[in-house]
Amino acid sequence: MTYRITAPQQLETEINLPASKSISNRALIIYALSGRKTMPEHLSDCDDTEVMINALRDMPETIDIKAGGTAMRFLTAYLAVTPGEHTITGTERMRHRPINILADALLRLGADVAYEENEGFPPLRIKGRQLQGGSLEVQGDVSSQFISALLMIAPGMEKGLTLHLTGDIISRPYIDLTLCTMRNFGANAEWTDNDTIEVKPQPYTAQDYYIESDWSAASYWYEILALSKDNEAEIRLNGLMDGSLQGDSVVKYLFSMLGIKTSFSSRTRNVPTTVTLRKTGLVSARLDYDFKNQPDLAQTFVVTCAMMGVPFHFTGLATLHI
């Protein structure tokens, strides 16, 4: 099958962006832990979120998360504190992605987690139980999803959780996003030092919740506009928030150096609004950036800079090899 893709001569459009997968998956776990039966509003329609919705709704003995990496990590922690016995598995590729950092941390907290096949990899057999919590040390240079998985189940632990992160902490904005979402549901969770997070033993409060649109998805529309030959082009993106805690919201600052201006229809915090993108014609001679906190944006900027002929030097890409 052959696809022919042709750029339009003129570009003027309005886009309803998909919901943030990062927020959706966090909100789903917290909703379940809070005892809420109805789902948050404006959930992502990605595969990761779909498998999580199905798992939390049906809770089968064997939970197949397919290729959902986020679902594997978040549900592993959730099952460890939820009554019942389950096996969590995935695709062949997923069964070769290491889970030992999270599983070992849960074991140290008293969880009942066992490897079904290969040590350190899914599938896992998990028997849910009440965890005592306490103090735990975890590497800071691992996926923030391991850290977020532990944080989200901490409010229900008898002693809460004090999490010490060692070494360089990568993807810190995603950890902050987790803590913010937890606090929105009544958790007492905060940084007490540059490398320490404390979560008090204080259960979640069930409430309504609206999911912001996805800044990662917005990045591709920024790219389309940056590469467009139409100097009068305009793209309107719906559902984004000013002051967003999504790490990839930095895209608006980075693309300003590639000639794109971002305007918010409203700057009321935590209220979804429309963002308008236009060209400025002012493009930096070079782009240097450390993507340690926004690794998902690196590919977009590699392609954009290459297509625009803008020299670049990008660092902080250690997680991409995974």
Side-chain angles (χ1 to χ4, degrees):
M1 184 178 291
T2 302
Y3 293 93
R4 181 181 297 276
I5 301 172
T6 305
Q9 294 300 309
Q10 295 179 311
L11 184 59
E12 196 275 330
T13 189
E14 183 168 334
I15 303 297
N16 292 321
L17 291 170
S20 165
K21 179 184 79 170
S22 297
I23 300 176
S24 292
N25 292 348
R26 285 160 172 79
L28 281 170
I29 293 295
I30 295 172
Y31 250 55
L33 290 169
S34 72
R36 182 86 181 198
K37 301 302 181 185
T38 56
M39 295 294 180
E41 292 184 67
H42 192 225
L43 281 167
S44 169
D45 59 358
C46 71
D47 291 345
D48 253 25
T49 301
E50 182 182 351
V51 297
M52 286 188 63
I53 290 172
N54 293 338
L56 293 169
R57 181 190 62 221
D58 303 331
M59 290 296 282
E61 181 179 344
T62 297
I63 297 174
D64 184 356
I65 55 78
K66 301 178 183 178
T70 308
M72 172 61 73
R73 292 154 182 174
F74 288 1
L75 285 172
T76 292
Y78 173 77
L79 293 174
V81 297
T82 302
E85 183 173 349
H86 303 270
T87 296
I88 184 167
T89 188
T91 61
E92 179 68 20
R93 173 75 183 110
M94 181 57 60
R95 295 197 295 273
H96 287 86
R97 293 179 67 177
I99 193 81
N100 58 299
I101 293 173
L102 176 58
D104 291 350
L106 290 169
L107 287 169
R108 280 180 277 153
L109 291 169
D112 188 340
V113 179
Y115 299 111
E116 289 277 87
E117 295 176 8
N118 298 318
E119 187 82 11
F121 299 89
L124 300 171
R125 189 70 175 172
I126 305 172
K127 296 179 183 178
R129 60 169 62 164
Q130 171 78 49
L131 300 185
Q132 281 231 310
S135 185
L136 184 67
E137 189 173 278
V138 176
Q139 298 165 239
D141 60 353
V142 298
S143 168
S144 62
Q145 292 176 10
F146 291 139
I147 297 166
S148 292
L150 293 168
L151 291 172
M152 285 190 290
I153 63 172
M157 296 180 189
E158 291 183 15
K159 298 180 180 178
L161 180 66
T162 300
L163 196 60
H164 302 281
L165 303 179
T166 62
D168 191 22
I169 302 172
I170 63 174
S171 299
R172 189 183 286 262
Y174 286 96
I175 300 174
D176 290 336
L177 179 63
T178 301
L179 294 173
C180 180
T181 309
M182 291 169 62
R183 288 193 292 266
N184 286 337
F185 287 88
N188 187 338
E190 61 182 354
W191 292 91
T192 58
D193 204 342
N194 189 53
D195 57 2
T196 304
I197 302 169
E198 185 174 3
V199 183
K200 300 288 188 183
Q202 178 175 308
Y204 291 115
T205 302
Q207 58 186 286
D208 295 336
Y209 195 72
Y210 184 89
I211 309 297
E212 180 188 8
S213 292
D214 186 42
W215 277 98
S216 303
S219 71
Y220 305 116
W221 293 100
Y222 275 88
E223 176 186 2
I224 288 169
L225 185 60
L227 299 180
S228 172
K229 298 185 183 303
D230 179 10
N231 291 327
E232 303 301 318
E234 179 179 296
I235 296 177
R236 296 176 299 281
L237 306 176
N238 295 326
L240 297 171
M241 299 179 185
D242 189 25
S244 172
L245 285 176
Q246 292 183 57
D248 287 356
S249 64
V250 73
V251 69
K252 58 184 179 290
Y253 300 114
L254 293 176
F255 266 104
S256 69
M257 292 182 276
L258 296 178
I260 304 300
K261 179 182 179 181
T262 303
S263 302
F264 287 85
S265 295
S266 168
R267 291 197 172 270
T268 305
R269 289 185 64 85
N270 300 321
V271 175
T273 189
T274 299
V275 169
T276 302
L277 313 182
R278 297 185 182 91
K279 283 177 170 283
T280 66
L282 304 174
V283 179
S284 297
R286 176 185 173 91
L287 186 60
D288 295 83
Y289 192 71
D290 182 351
F291 281 98
K292 178 177 69 175
N293 290 325
Q294 297 88 18
D296 290 348
L297 291 180
Q299 297 94 322
T300 303
F301 280 95
V302 166
V303 172
T304 305
C305 289
M307 290 289 289
M308 294 181 70
V310 175
F312 61 91
H313 181 226
F314 298 154
T315 56
L317 307 179
T319 59
L320 295 187
H321 78 277
I322 300 172

